[in-house]
Amino acid sequence: MPEPTKKEENEVPAPAPVPPPEEPNKEKDVGNASPKDEEEASPSNALPPGLGSRALERKDSEWSLGESPASEDQEKQNANSQLSTLFVEKPQTGRVKVGENITFIAKVKAEDLLRKPTIKWFKGKWMDLASKAGKHLQLKESFERQSRVYTFEMQIIKAKENYAGNYRCEVTYKDKFDSCSFDLEVHESTGTTPNIDIRSAFKRREVKQQEEEPEIDVWDLLKNANPNEYEKIAFQYGITDLRGMLKRLKRMRRVEKKSAAFAKILDPAYQIDKGGRVRFVVELADPKLEVKWYKNGQEIRPSTKYIFEHKGCERIMFINNCQLTDDSEYYVTAGDEKCSTELFVREPPILVTKQLEDTNAYCGEKVELECEVSEDDANVKWFKNGEEIIPGPKSRYKVKVEGKKHTLIIEGATKADSAEYSVMTTGGQSSAKLSVGLKPLKILTPLTDLTVQLGKEICLKCEISENVTGKWTKNGLPVQEGDRLKVVHKGRIHKLVINSALIEDEGDYVFTPDAYTDTLPAKVHVIDPPKINLDGLDADNTVTVIAGSKLRLEIPISGEPPPKVIWSRADKAIMEGSGRIKAESYPDSSTLIIDTAEREDSGVYNINLKNEAGEAHASIKIKVVDIPDPPVAPNVTDVGDDWCIMNWEPPAYDGGSPILGYFIERKKKQSSRWMRLNFELCKETTFEPKKMIEGVAYEVRIFAVNAIGISKPSMPSKPFVPLAVTSPPTLLAVDSVTDTTVTMKWRPPDQIGAAGLDGYVLEYCFEGSTSAKQSDENGEAAYDLSAEEWIVANTDLIDKTKFTITGLPTDAKIFVRVKAVNKAGASEPKYYSQPILVKEIIEPPKIRIPRHLKQTYIRRVGEAVNLVIPFQGKPRPELTWTKDGAEIDKNQINIRNSETDTIIFIRKAERSHSGKYDLQVKVEKFVESASIEIQIVDRPGPPQLVKIEDVWGENVALTWTPPKDDGNAAITGYTIQKADKKSMEWFTVIEHYHRTNATITELVIGNEYYFRVFAENMCGLSEDATMTKESAVIAKDGKVYKNPVYEDFDFTEAPMFTQPLVNTYAVAGYNATLNCSVRGNPKPKITWMKNKVAIVDDPRYRMFSNQGVCTLEIRKPSPYDGGTYCCQAVNNLGTVEVECKLEVKGGLSFCRLLLQGVPPNIIDSYLRDLQSSTPEGY
């Protein structure tokens, strides 16, 4: 596989050299160099950092001059390729410059694979590159059907330096697995490095006329050159140990600090031609220091080859007659310091003494190009059109060296070998042109056209004048040899033999001799009688198609030449082209097309084939099936409370397929949504829908189902309403009986249903008309009577649950029953358990006093009194009410009487309504009486007199008399308050005190107090309190204090708010309060305003003022309550106002967010954004 790297457009077309690598152990030594070693390095001629890191730090590579390096990874890949189970071609290690593209290719043979294998690309050990595909990485795959090879590509676009590293490709298929590793090297673009044009240098080197060139320092040239040019420079300037030279250059990259022993050190490197003389000079800072010279660590002694000189502070060493063995590292020591240098010995250039000559040859001949050089066994390189020729065992080029004579041998020359060939040495080059032509070709026996029967042998034969190979093509494509096809070449005769000719063997065959433009064509025509293949159809050649769908019946046919196809039905030909029924013909098949098949398209279709080899006929039966017709509308035969019974008839046409069953749907009459009632097919033609809502009108419809599908729905049935009669009435009982009437009462049915209840029918019959049966489970007798024996008591339905049967004979016995009637009819009757005697019965009266009225009934003044007292007695009793023995004033107290109870009602109770109320119930001579105590209570009056009995220390003794008016309730206690004479603000001292005297303690010495007392009963404190007339002065004991005379201090002050109102939020539906504090004397009057309008007598607001703290409570505010609220304080000295804004947030979201601790300003911003994002109309 070629190296997948992109060449530079300006790259010299010569063999790509490999950058010289560094040995691993040497590189490690350099990387761990001590600071002392760094000081000894020469700073003057060190390599640039970018060049050194890329050119000198190659790992794990060994190479020699003139050979391309092969890395260990490549060797492993080559070794593994022989053991590979899936790869036929693996991705190879590649190099690319920054910003360029590179593609890695892997190929997998698919002959033994049933499906596409799975491939993964990795970088390093674990990074899967499938997730990194994008702008800089693309993964592609393709499949070649002829060769059955999968090709997988990974393309890196605009490579960067961090893309470099080890990559891995893995392919898996079931239990097979294969993988390979490869490296990517990314180099920086060296735009500033001067490119060395080797070819231009070659052109300047002529053997006869060589121009004098200036001395070139290879050391400087290598330092500034691109690493890709190292090998070319080494060959051009005769460097034999390039690898060692580069190692030494790398070691000299260290920055050397200033030396104390040397005033001038050695140059980093010296270059001398072989046989020349070199001079090393150092200058010492102290001339007394002893100097020693070393070569590769061995001290150098004076000799004829090594000569030492001293000139002042200078120490000089000469090396005479330099040979290649003198190419090494030298250093000199002075005291504890040393400095080093490198000596490079260059061989003299090799010249071309005999030039190449232009040569002409014919194809197939052996070509030899000769030249001579100035030295024996010199290193010479051959080039073709500027590209180096690398000879090898598999190469067509061979190089023969005999002393100074060098020969390039080309075996079996072809036209592709025509080019300009050149030879290059270290001191010159020579070039010549080679032209390879063809011998004239004569066709002795041309190919002839053939017509062959299918299955016979095809043999194409020709003869030409030259014994050359050639190529056979069929219809422009190369012919591949196989079991049936053989290509024979014997001398000048060429044959193409095909056994058992097939249709696909027909075509234009051409034989083209290699290296010639002449062609020998021939046509092969294979004929075959027509055949019709009906293997894909049923035994009776029947094709079934669903109505409405498109039928495309493709019948495979064969025959050569392609036969003419004619479709027909009932002796009527079906034409090709447009139309609902048409035919289409192809070389290997014929198709009958029916667009939107209909029932009438069923029948027998004929296909006829005809060509020059014969005829063929066949018949095909087409059956068009369809969904069945919809059934007729179903009939609802019976209806219940939540069910009905329906039936229907099968559809008139079953669609050509038996009916498998039916689906039933229903819907409410007012709705358009149908609901499927059965999910399993109903095999019968009757069905009972259930779980319907009673009283709702429904419609039902039917779907017929066959193997093709579901029919259209039937027409809906007539609307029907599921209704049911109610359950029987309950609790039928006798209410009253007279000599001619019987009054019955009952309760409504337990279950009424959606049909409602229209009324009741009460029926009776006399005892002698039937005989009673045994009682039923409920203990009530059941009667088996015909409808004619029961007499309807009410001609019209009655709504009430009580009815009086009139016109009955006295002393007769009757049976009674009642029925509930609705739209569905009459319910089952409810029977009275026994016969009823028509005769009035006297029931003595009885009063049932409620339990809460058996004790005194207490109500406050102003409350309503509503007492219900039930009683019994028949016939209807007479009732009499009295209060304290006197008749009740009906203008103040309302009395309402009914057959079963009496009601006493007082709309607004007063204390005068208190007293004893007597009730008397009388039925003929029977009398029943009962009494009720009613007490109307009110708050008491204040105590009559409060006196200060004694004052001692910090204590005051008080006495008072009970109030004159106790409020018609017992006094439960007293509340005592005190007030300092200065402020006259009252504070409670004792509450719920039961006595009429008390001692007040812990009073402040020096203060003067007044006291007042409230009376308390069950209704609360008295409205007023009685205050002491005198004050109590708390004086100090044992001292007589004379009150100084002071002028009255002016305590008056204009109102001023000490705590203003603040803007706040409120949640709709939750009480909110606004608070501020004010001071002033006289006490200012507080007025609350909303939007400059005073709030007066509004039940939604409550206002409080305590100790100067003003509070406005807003009860359950709504967004309407938001606005600007103002608190105004006014007294004689001035007016002051304070305002705030209240915003009411409505909705549950605000409340929830506020309870979760979200600040109100964030909630406000969120709700405002939510409101702005809501479209209008929502």
Side-chain angles (χ1 to χ4, degrees):
M1 174 180 174
E3 178 108 338
T5 56
K6 180 179 178 181
K7 273 193 171 185
E8 289 282 350
E9 294 180 359
N10 57 357
E11 185 177 351
V12 178
V18 178
E22 186 74 31
E23 292 184 1
N25 54 350
K26 294 293 184 180
E27 182 178 356
K28 182 175 181 181
D29 295 341
V30 173
N32 297 331
S34 63
K36 184 176 179 180
D37 295 337
E38 293 179 0
E39 294 177 359
E40 296 172 0
S42 174
S44 59
N45 295 324
L47 290 176
L51 180 61
S53 61
R54 292 188 302 271
L56 305 179
E57 294 185 2
R58 299 294 179 201
K59 296 183 179 181
D60 302 332
S61 298
E62 296 291 339
W63 60 284
S64 59
L65 185 63
E67 295 181 355
S68 177
S71 65
E72 293 181 5
D73 292 341
Q74 291 178 340
E75 294 176 0
K76 293 179 181 179
Q77 291 182 11
N78 295 334
N80 293 338
S81 62
Q82 299 176 359
L83 305 176
S84 175
T85 58
L86 293 174
F87 282 120
V88 296
E89 183 175 321
K90 296 185 178 183
Q92 303 296 321
T93 296
R95 301 175 183 84
V96 68
K97 292 184 178 181
V98 174
E100 296 183 351
N101 303 341
I102 185 171
T103 302
F104 295 94
I105 300 176
K107 293 186 178 182
V108 178
K109 195 71 172 179
E111 290 182 350
D112 301 329
L113 308 183
L114 300 179
R115 58 180 175 83
K116 184 180 75 174
T118 303
I119 191 166
K120 292 184 178 180
W121 299 85
F122 295 91
K123 181 180 180 183
K125 291 185 178 181
W126 311 113
M127 183 183 293
D128 190 350
L129 297 180
S131 60
K132 306 294 182 183
K135 181 179 179 182
H136 294 281
L137 178 67
Q138 294 183 1
L139 303 179
K140 300 179 181 179
E141 58 183 46
S142 60
F143 179 67
E144 299 179 5
R145 295 187 178 275
Q146 293 183 354
S147 60
R148 296 190 61 79
V149 172
Y150 286 100
T151 302
F152 300 94
E153 297 182 5
M154 181 181 72
Q155 183 179 11
I156 297 177
I157 303 172
K158 296 182 179 179
K160 299 180 180 179
E161 287 188 359
N162 59 347
Y163 291 178
N166 180 260
Y167 289 76
R168 190 171 77 258
C169 176
E170 293 184 358
V171 61
T172 56
Y173 176 80
K174 292 186 177 180
D175 57 343
K176 296 182 179 181
F177 175 81
D178 201 357
S179 68
C180 67
S181 299
F182 55 95
D183 292 331
L184 172 62
E185 296 180 4
V186 182
H187 302 283
E188 291 184 358
S189 300
T190 55
T192 59
T193 303
N195 293 329
I196 300 177
D197 192 350
I198 302 298
R199 287 178 293 177
S200 61
F202 288 165
K203 293 178 181 178
R204 292 196 303 267
R205 297 180 179 228
E206 297 292 341
V207 176
K208 296 180 179 180
Q209 299 179 357
Q210 283 193 351
E211 299 179 1
E212 249 184 59
E213 296 182 359
E215 183 75 16
I216 297 177
D217 190 349
V218 179
W219 161 255
D220 293 333
L221 189 62
L222 286 174
K223 286 197 301 182
N224 299 323
N226 189 310
N228 294 337
E229 304 290 339
Y230 285 167
E231 188 176 354
K232 296 179 182 178
I233 296 173
F235 178 78
Q236 180 177 353
Y237 292 97
I239 299 174
T240 57
D241 189 10
L242 177 61
R243 180 167 174 268
M245 181 177 182
L246 292 177
K247 286 183 182 180
R248 286 181 283 169
L249 290 179
K250 182 179 178 181
R251 287 198 300 270
M252 298 183 66
R253 290 178 60 238
R254 307 187 191 95
V255 177
E256 187 171 341
K257 296 182 180 178
K258 186 175 181 181
S259 175
F262 295 96
K264 179 180 178 182
I265 63 175
L266 295 172
D267 292 340
Y270 295 84
Q271 177 180 313
I272 191 67
D273 289 336
K274 182 178 179 182
R277 181 184 185 190
V278 65
R279 176 174 177 265
F280 294 152
V281 180
V282 296
E283 183 175 348
L284 299 178
D286 184 3
K288 297 180 180 180
L289 292 176
E290 183 182 0
V291 174
K292 292 184 180 181
W293 295 88
Y294 296 87
K295 172 185 177 183
N296 290 334
Q298 298 292 328
E299 184 178 356
I300 303 175
R301 300 294 180 182
S303 63
T304 56
K305 186 174 181 68
Y306 301 101
I307 301 174
F308 301 98
E309 290 184 3
H310 294 187
K311 290 183 179 181
C313 293
E314 289 185 351
R315 301 295 184 262
I316 306 170
M317 181 180 73
F318 293 93
I319 303 176
N320 298 321
N321 191 21
C322 291
Q323 301 298 322
L324 294 179
T325 56
D326 297 325
D327 188 300
S328 62
E329 179 187 12
Y330 294 83
Y331 66 88
V332 58
T333 62
D336 295 333
E337 296 188 12
K338 72 175 181 178
C339 62
S340 61
T341 186
E342 292 284 344
L343 175 63
F344 299 99
V345 180
R346 185 175 60 180
E347 289 186 344
I350 298 173
L351 305 179
V352 179
T353 57
K354 182 179 179 181
Q355 303 295 318
L356 296 175
E357 296 180 357
D358 294 342
T359 306
N360 295 324
Y362 286 113
C363 290
E365 293 181 349
K366 180 179 179 181
V367 179
E368 294 183 356
L369 299 175
E370 296 181 357
C371 71
E372 291 183 4
V373 296
S374 59
E375 298 289 339
D376 292 339
D377 300 328
N379 189 9
V380 173
K381 289 191 176 183
W382 292 87
F383 295 88
K384 175 184 177 182
N385 290 334
E387 294 186 5
E388 183 181 359
I389 298 174
I390 301 176
K394 298 181 179 179
S395 176
R396 297 178 53 250
Y397 301 95
K398 296 182 180 179
V399 176
K400 182 180 178 182
V401 179
E402 296 177 351
K404 298 180 181 180
K405 182 178 180 181
H406 293 256
T407 306
L408 176 65
I409 302 173
I410 304 175
E411 297 287 348
T414 62
K415 293 186 67 177
D417 294 326
S418 297
E420 181 179 357
Y421 290 82
S422 59
V423 61
M424 185 181 73
T425 65
T426 58
Q429 77 162 8
S430 176
S431 61
K433 291 184 179 180
L434 172 64
S435 298
V436 181
L438 297 175
K439 294 182 180 179
L441 181 70
K442 295 182 180 179
I443 300 174
L444 304 179
T445 305
L447 296 177
T448 58
D449 296 341
L450 294 178
T451 300
V452 183
Q453 288 282 345
L454 185 68
K456 301 296 184 178
E457 182 182 83
I458 301 175
C459 183
L460 297 175
K461 178 181 178 182
C462 65
E463 185 178 357
I464 56 179
S465 60
E466 299 295 328
N467 183 10
V468 296
T469 59
K471 296 180 180 179
W472 291 88
T473 60
K474 172 190 172 185
N475 297 329
L477 298 177
V479 173
Q480 301 293 334
E481 286 193 72
D483 296 336
R484 293 191 312 108
L485 190 146
K486 302 293 182 183
V487 175
V488 181
H489 175 206
K490 292 183 179 180
R492 297 178 297 178
I493 298 176
H494 295 268
K495 288 184 180 181
L496 177 64
V497 179
I498 303 175
N499 297 323
S500 301
L502 302 177
I503 299 298
E504 50 268 24
D505 294 332
E506 181 175 302
D508 295 334
Y509 289 82
V510 176
F511 175 73
T512 303
D514 290 342
Y516 289 91
T517 59
D518 297 335
T519 58
L520 288 78
K523 290 185 178 181
V524 176
H525 181 46
V526 180
I527 60 174
D528 186 30
K531 295 179 183 178
I532 302 173
N533 185 3
L534 301 179
D535 295 341
L537 302 181
D538 296 340
D540 54 352
N541 295 341
T542 300
V543 178
T544 302
V545 62
I546 299 174
S549 61
K550 180 178 180 180
L551 172 64
R552 185 179 181 88
L553 179 60
E554 183 176 354
I555 303 298
I557 62 175
S558 62
E560 188 62 30
K564 182 178 180 182
V565 183
I566 299 176
W567 286 87
S568 62
R569 178 189 179 191
D571 297 334
K572 183 178 180 182
I574 298 174
M575 305 302 294
E576 296 185 0
S578 61
R580 192 174 62 84
I581 302 177
K582 57 187 177 181
E584 294 181 358
S585 297
Y586 301 96
D588 58 348
S589 64
S590 181
T591 304
L592 175 66
I593 301 174
I594 302 178
D595 291 329
T596 315
E598 300 176 355
R599 299 177 184 176
E600 294 77 13
D601 296 334
S602 299
V604 178
Y605 292 76
N606 300 316
I607 178 173
N608 299 319
L609 306 181
K610 184 177 181 181
N611 70 354
E612 62 186 43
E615 296 182 2
H617 308 277
S619 297
I620 301 173
K621 182 179 179 181
I622 296 178
K623 180 181 179 182
V624 180
V625 295
D626 197 358
I627 59 175
D629 288 344
V632 296
N635 296 322
V636 178
T637 58
D638 194 7
V639 177
D641 55 350
D642 66 343
W643 56 270
C644 72
I645 296 177
M646 55 184 290
N647 54 41
W648 61 90
E649 295 295 331
Y653 174 67
D654 62 0
S657 179
I659 299 296
L660 301 178
Y662 302 90
F663 284 122
I664 297 92
E665 290 184 350
R666 77 166 182 229
K667 77 173 182 69
K668 297 177 183 179
K669 182 179 179 182
Q670 302 300 330
S671 174
S672 60
R673 182 170 173 245
W674 290 91
M675 183 177 69
R676 179 70 57 85
L677 297 182
N678 62 317
F679 294 96
E680 294 183 0
L681 290 176
C682 177
K683 306 295 184 180
E684 307 296 333
T685 57
T686 181
F687 190 74
E688 181 180 351
K690 296 181 179 179
K691 296 183 180 180
M692 292 183 284
I693 301 175
E694 186 178 356
V696 178
Y698 286 91
E699 294 178 349
V700 293
R701 65 182 183 182
I702 309 298
F703 292 86
V705 181
N706 64 3
I708 307 305
I710 303 174
S711 70
K712 294 181 179 179
S714 67
M715 293 299 294
S717 66
K718 293 180 180 180
F720 64 93
V721 179
L723 293 175
V725 297
T726 66
S727 62
T730 59
L731 302 178
L732 179 61
V734 177
D735 185 62
S736 63
V737 179
T738 65
D739 292 340
T740 59
T741 64
V742 174
T743 301
M744 305 296 295
K745 63 180 180 180
W746 60 90
R747 298 292 297 165
D750 293 335
Q751 298 178 358
I752 295 178
L757 179 62
D758 295 338
Y760 299 94
V761 174
L762 190 65
E763 298 177 339
Y764 68 93
C765 66
F766 294 98
E767 185 180 24
S769 60
T770 185
S771 60
K773 287 187 176 182
Q774 298 292 331
S775 296
D776 60 9
E777 296 178 357
N778 297 327
E780 300 180 358
Y783 300 92
D784 188 9
L785 302 176
S786 62
E788 292 79 7
E789 296 178 350
W790 288 94
I791 301 171
V792 179
N794 54 316
T795 56
D796 297 328
L797 295 177
I798 57 175
D799 297 332
K800 298 181 180 179
T801 58
K802 187 175 182 181
F803 188 76
T804 301
I805 304 174
T806 60
L808 298 175
T810 305
D811 295 332
K813 290 184 178 182
I814 63 172
F815 297 100
V816 180
R817 69 179 183 182
V818 65
K819 298 179 181 178
V821 180
N822 64 3
K823 295 179 181 179
S827 68
E828 294 293 326
K830 175 66 176 178
Y831 295 92
Y832 189 69
S833 60
Q834 57 189 1
I836 303 170
L837 177 63
V838 184
K839 187 176 181 179
E840 189 170 6
I841 302 173
I842 297 175
E843 181 181 348
K846 186 177 182 181
I847 300 174
R848 299 183 178 275
I849 299 296
R851 180 178 298 177
H852 69 282
L853 296 179
K854 291 182 180 180
Q855 56 188 3
T856 301
Y857 183 73
I858 301 174
R859 278 291 179 268
R860 295 185 181 184
V861 173
E863 293 182 347
V865 177
N866 187 13
L867 304 177
V868 180
I869 303 170
F871 61 84
Q872 294 177 352
K874 291 184 181 180
R876 183 169 183 172
E878 296 176 4
L879 283 76
T880 303
W881 280 97
T882 59
K883 177 190 175 190
D884 298 331
E887 187 177 353
I888 293 177
D889 185 1
K890 294 185 178 180
N891 293 328
Q892 296 183 3
I893 301 174
N894 295 325
I895 303 297
R896 301 173 188 172
N897 299 324
S898 68
E899 295 181 357
T900 58
D901 55 29
T902 179
I903 301 173
I904 179 170
F905 177 73
I906 303 173
R907 183 176 300 277
K908 194 172 183 181
E910 298 178 359
R911 291 174 62 176
S912 59
H913 293 149
S914 301
K916 181 180 180 182
Y917 291 78
D918 298 320
L919 171 63
Q920 186 181 68
V921 180
K922 183 179 181 181
V923 177
E924 293 187 357
K925 61 181 180 178
F926 301 99
V927 178
E928 178 79 8
S929 299
S931 298
I932 299 174
E933 291 286 344
I934 297 179
Q935 181 181 356
I936 306 301
V937 298
D938 197 1
R939 291 195 291 178
Q944 297 185 38
L945 179 63
V946 180
K947 293 194 307 179
I948 299 175
E949 294 290 340
D950 190 10
V951 178
W952 73 96
E954 298 175 358
N955 308 311
V956 175
L958 300 177
T959 61
W960 60 89
T961 57
K964 186 177 180 180
D965 180 13
D966 62 357
N968 202 22
I971 298 299
T972 60
Y974 299 92
T975 298
I976 300 99
Q977 293 183 344
K978 69 179 180 179
D980 189 358
K981 184 179 179 181
K982 295 178 182 179
S983 63
M984 288 306 293
E985 292 188 3
W986 293 97
F987 297 94
T988 299
V989 179
I990 302 176
E991 291 182 314
H992 312 304
Y993 191 71
H994 299 287
R995 298 179 184 178
T996 57
N997 54 37
T999 299
I1000 309 303
T1001 62
E1002 297 181 0
L1003 298 175
V1004 179
I1005 296 176
N1007 288 358
E1008 188 176 354
Y1009 293 92
Y1010 285 94
F1011 300 91
R1012 66 181 181 183
V1013 180
F1014 291 88
E1016 183 180 5
N1017 65 2
M1018 63 181 299
C1019 294
L1021 296 176
S1022 60
E1023 294 183 358
D1024 300 323
T1026 302
M1027 189 176 69
T1028 59
K1029 295 180 180 180
E1030 302 87 6
S1031 62
V1033 178
I1034 310 301
K1036 295 183 179 180
D1037 294 338
K1039 291 184 180 181
V1040 178
Y1041 179 74
K1042 184 178 179 180
N1043 292 327
V1045 178
Y1046 293 104
E1047 293 183 1
D1048 292 336
F1049 183 78
D1050 186 10
F1051 288 98
T1052 59
E1053 181 184 13
M1056 180 181 67
F1057 283 97
T1058 60
Q1059 179 63 39
L1061 295 172
V1062 295
N1063 296 335
T1064 185
Y1065 293 89
V1067 181
Y1070 292 85
N1071 291 356
T1073 57
L1074 303 176
N1075 300 291
C1076 63
S1077 61
V1078 65
R1079 74 182 184 187
N1081 193 12
K1083 187 176 180 180
K1085 180 183 178 181
I1086 303 301
T1087 304
W1088 287 90
M1089 292 179 288
K1090 175 190 174 186
N1091 298 330
K1092 303 299 183 182
V1093 178
I1095 302 173
V1096 180
D1097 296 335
D1098 193 336
R1100 295 179 300 162
Y1101 300 94
R1102 292 177 61 190
M1103 288 165 272
F1104 307 95
S1105 179
N1106 185 18
Q1107 299 293 326
V1109 178
C1110 304
T1111 303
L1112 175 65
E1113 183 183 39
I1114 307 171
R1115 296 181 176 178
K1116 297 183 179 179
S1118 64
Y1120 171 79
D1121 293 320
T1124 302
Y1125 285 81
C1126 174
C1127 181
Q1128 184 185 64
V1130 181
N1131 67 2
N1132 296 335
L1133 300 178
T1135 303
V1136 65
E1137 295 181 355
V1138 64
E1139 293 182 351
C1140 74
K1141 290 184 180 180
L1142 174 67
E1143 187 172 356
V1144 180
K1145 299 295 184 178
L1148 187 58
S1149 298
F1150 184 89
C1151 178
R1152 284 182 176 172
L1153 293 173
L1154 193 61
L1155 292 177
Q1156 292 173 2
V1158 181
N1161 59 336
I1162 298 178
I1163 302 175
D1164 181 57
S1165 175
Y1166 165 73
L1167 294 178
R1168 189 177 292 111
D1169 295 342
L1170 184 64
Q1171 184 178 3
S1172 62
S1173 62
T1174 304
E1176 297 182 3
Y1178 284 80

